[in-house]
Amino acid sequence: MVLQARIVKKVNIMKKSQKTLQVGIATAIIVGTIAWLAFSGYGANKSYYVTIAELGKMGDKAYHSNLRVEGFVKPGSIEQNGTHVTFVLNEFESHSPNAANGRLITVSYKGTEPPPDTFKDNAQALAEGTYGRDGVFHANTLQAKCASKYAPQPGAAPSMQSSPATKTAANTPAPNQTAAVR
């Protein structure tokens, strides 16, 4: 009877260690799968920021990488058909004396969203996508900053226009001050 009790006890211990082993293996498989998915997703979504000049120097790597390219929209180059837009990026703004010598790249944007409202001639644009062997940058994401026409011209002093409310406020003493009498 004592021998039988010892055998039952050993069998119970073996069942517990077997369950612990099964749980450990299942946990390892789950953690390993999550780690693999995170690592492979990170690599697939990684994009390199390059200038137009750097893109030309990348060689074959340019054709196999997800890239982000920034430049200025060349005036008159925007051709839009729904959400599909083709345009030319120049590494220099058209107002710059270097614009005529700037490197150019044709961008073909085929996104689900139309280009932003700020996407106009001379706007600073950022295109994300892939560079094709045809010399065209195929973008799936497009961002644009306000066109430079809203910024003051280089070398021009900022204008200090004041509204009537500002003039009134400037000529009114603060509550704790008294007006000087001359």
Side-chain angles (χ1 to χ4, degrees), residues 89-178:
L89 280 181
N90 188 345
E91 68 179 319
F92 301 113
E93 193 172 14
S94 66
H95 299 54
S96 169
N98 297 331
N101 301 328
R103 291 178 182 85
L104 304 174
I105 185 169
T106 301
V107 179
S108 175
Y109 167 70
K110 291 183 181 178
T112 56
E113 300 282 324
D117 292 339
T118 55
F119 183 75
K120 299 181 184 336
D121 289 348
N122 286 320
Q124 188 175 7
L126 178 72
E128 185 172 342
T130 56
Y131 187 55
R133 294 195 182 271
D134 57 356
V136 176
F137 190 83
H138 301 278
N140 50 27
T141 304
L142 183 62
Q143 297 176 349
K145 292 184 178 180
C146 289
S148 63
K149 67 181 182 181
Y150 301 114
Q153 291 295 326
S159 64
M160 298 296 289
Q161 295 178 352
S162 58
S163 66
T166 308
K167 289 179 183 177
T168 305
N171 295 333
T172 307
N176 294 340
Q177 293 179 341
T178 56

Side-chain angles (χ1 to χ4, degrees), residues 8 10 20-21 41 47 53 74 79 91 128 134 141 167-168 180:
V8 169
K10 283 186 179 185
T20 303
L21 180 63
S47 64
K74 183 178 177 185
E79 296 175 15
E91 68 179 319
E128 185 172 342
D134 57 356
T141 304
K167 289 179 183 177
T168 305

Side-chain angles (χ1 to χ4, degrees), residues 3 14 19 32 58 64 73 126 133 138 152:
L3 183 60
M14 287 176 57
K19 283 187 179 187
M58 286 181 70
H64 305 291
V73 178
L126 178 72
R133 294 195 182 271
H138 301 278

Side-chain angles (χ1 to χ4, degrees), residues 16-99:
K16 284 183 181 179
S17 64
Q18 218 174 20
K19 283 187 179 187
T20 303
L21 180 63
Q22 288 174 344
V23 169
I25 290 172
T27 303
I29 289 172
I30 291 170
V31 169
T33 302
I34 290 172
W36 177 77
L37 288 172
F39 180 74
S40 63
Y42 172 75
N45 290 327
K46 189 170 37 172
S47 64
Y48 297 97
Y49 173 82
V50 294
T51 63
I52 297 172
E54 292 170 340
L55 182 62
K57 297 175 186 174
M58 286 181 70
D60 270 355
K61 187 178 179 184
Y63 305 120
H64 305 291
S65 302
N66 195 29
L67 303 169
R68 293 183 337 186
V69 177
E70 180 186 33
F72 295 91
V73 178
K74 183 178 177 185
S77 69
I78 299 173
E79 296 175 15
Q80 185 170 357
N81 184 6
T83 60
H84 180 260
V85 180
T86 302
F87 59 97
V88 176
L89 280 181
N90 188 345
E91 68 179 319
F92 301 113
E93 193 172 14
S94 66
H95 299 54
S96 169
N98 297 331

